[in-house]
Amino acid sequence: MAESHDSQTLGRRVNEIVLLWALDRRPMHGYQAALEIERRSGGYFSFNHGTLYPILHRLEKEGVIAGEWSDPEEGRARKEYALTEAGRTYLEEISRTWRTLAERLEPFLSPGDSDESVRTGVA
Amino acid sequence: MNRFAPALRSVARELDLPPKVKTAILMEMTGDLEAAFDHHRNLGRTEEEAERLAEAAILGSSEMVRRLGRLHRASWLEWSERVGERLGGGADLVLLLFAVVPMYALAGVVTFRTVAYPSSLLSWPLLAAGVAVGALIALEAGRILRGARGAGRQLPLLLTLSVVAPVLGLLAATLEVHSAAGALAGGVAEPVIQVAFVEGMTRAGTLLLVGLLIGLAGALSWFVLLNRDAVRVRREVDAILQDSSHVRSELQIEGVIPLIRRRRA
């Protein structure tokens, strides 16, 4: 199926892929996941100004991740998110789509190349 | 007192959602705000700086609040929570005691009659659904009223069984009517047919009644317990949001109108 790549979808997919990657490693709280992503990307990706919750809650509603409240007897109850089976499949799918996108984009990222090499994909 | 109470109150005012959903979002934000604050403090930032950075990272803008509002809007659940909110002052418990308990007791009495009919194929699943509904009501009522861990988790199952029970009752009644009609066409002697038909109709009526009673008792209990649970959870957030006295007095000293007004004692 053809995937659309308008700027809004691209931004949303980037947020999704980095969040799902973090939650695939282990179940985490929202802020923990944001910190993990920031650390892994060297500060390139950061979830500021409330972008985190709408994405997390949407993914939870779609069944891609599952939120579970931690035990209130151990301090304040915290909501921890984990990737579901459907989420794992979805992560594989979007990872594949993004690899393809990166491969297809590569020939366009070398400004010195001639038109002919871009057309034929020859570097 | 919670250092983030003023900011959380502002988000709470903007979030136009059913109390339970709103409370869950605020509790999640509170936990993350504290984690973000601790993180920035560990990096050597001052308390004020850590507080500001935590709020910037977690709370965000009005746009975020609007998006969360759109995402969580579920009209039927919202309606039931809002109606439940108006049933304050113990009216819900009166409903539970004077409607649900007699209804469930009547279902129990009629069920014993149903069990006496060996030919009712669906009477056992119906009986199992009735027992499960009763057990869930007792379990959740106990947990919610005590404020115990995991309270409210079984409420969706209670609602599901409350829908399943009348459906089972209806199916069982249809089967009974079908077999009674079969007896009519069977060519048996007339007095025997009459007895079989009347018995079949009685069984059908009984099974349908039991299913409906269990379903009604379960659905009413679900409604009451859902709202009791929402009140319980909301109290936890109220404790966070009503950040007491010393922030309020600081605000008053600076001539700022406090964000919430307390009821006079």
Side-chain angles (χ1 to χ4, degrees), chain A residues 28-83:
Chain A
M28 287 181 218
H29 308 131
Y31 184 66
Q32 264 181 315
L35 275 186
E36 186 70 21
I37 291 161
E38 212 170 308
R39 192 189 57 77
R40 168 84 176 189
S41 66
Y44 188 79
F45 295 118
S46 67
F47 286 88
N48 269 347
H49 308 292
T51 44
L52 184 63
Y53 295 112
I55 302 166
L56 278 173
H57 291 198
R58 182 173 52 77
L59 291 173
E60 189 186 12
K61 276 209 149 188
E62 288 168 359
V64 175
I65 59 174
E68 186 84 26
W69 288 91
S70 63
D71 196 339
E73 282 174 1
E74 297 162 10
R76 190 183 295 288
R78 302 280 315 270
K79 196 174 182 185
E80 200 171 68
Y81 293 95
L83 209 62

Side-chain angles (χ1 to χ4, degrees), chain B residues 144-182:
Chain B
I144 290 168
L145 294 175
R146 282 199 327 271
R149 193 157 40 112
R153 259 188 216 162
Q154 303 298 332
L155 287 179
L157 181 60
L158 176 61
L159 183 64
T160 309
L161 285 173
S162 307
V163 174
V164 166
V167 172
L168 277 177
L170 187 67
L171 281 175
T174 312
L175 272 178
E176 287 301 331
V177 172
H178 183 73
S179 17

Side-chain angles (χ1 to χ4, degrees), chain A residues 1-5 9 12-13 16 90 93-94 96-98 100-101 104:
Chain A
M1 193 180 79
E3 173 94 2
S4 74
H5 292 296
T9 313
R12 207 173 66 194
R13 292 276 184 265
E16 279 179 3
Y90 180 63
E93 269 173 33
I94 52 172
R96 237 190 337 264
T97 307
W98 276 78
T100 310
L101 177 70
R104 297 290 169 104

Side-chain angles (χ1 to χ4, degrees), chain B residues 22-23 27 42 47 49 62 64 79 84 87 93 101 117 127 141 157 172 174 188 214 224 229 235 237 241 246-247 257:
Chain B
K22 186 195 263 194
T23 300
M27 284 180 76
N42 290 338
E47 282 203 4
E49 221 179 342
S62 298
M64 181 269 296
W79 174 85
L87 270 180
L93 286 183
V101 173
Y117 298 135
L127 181 66
L157 181 60
T174 312
V188 191
I214 293 171
V224 168
D229 191 40
R235 274 191 195 133
V237 163
L241 296 185
H246 91 262
V247 166
I257 299 165

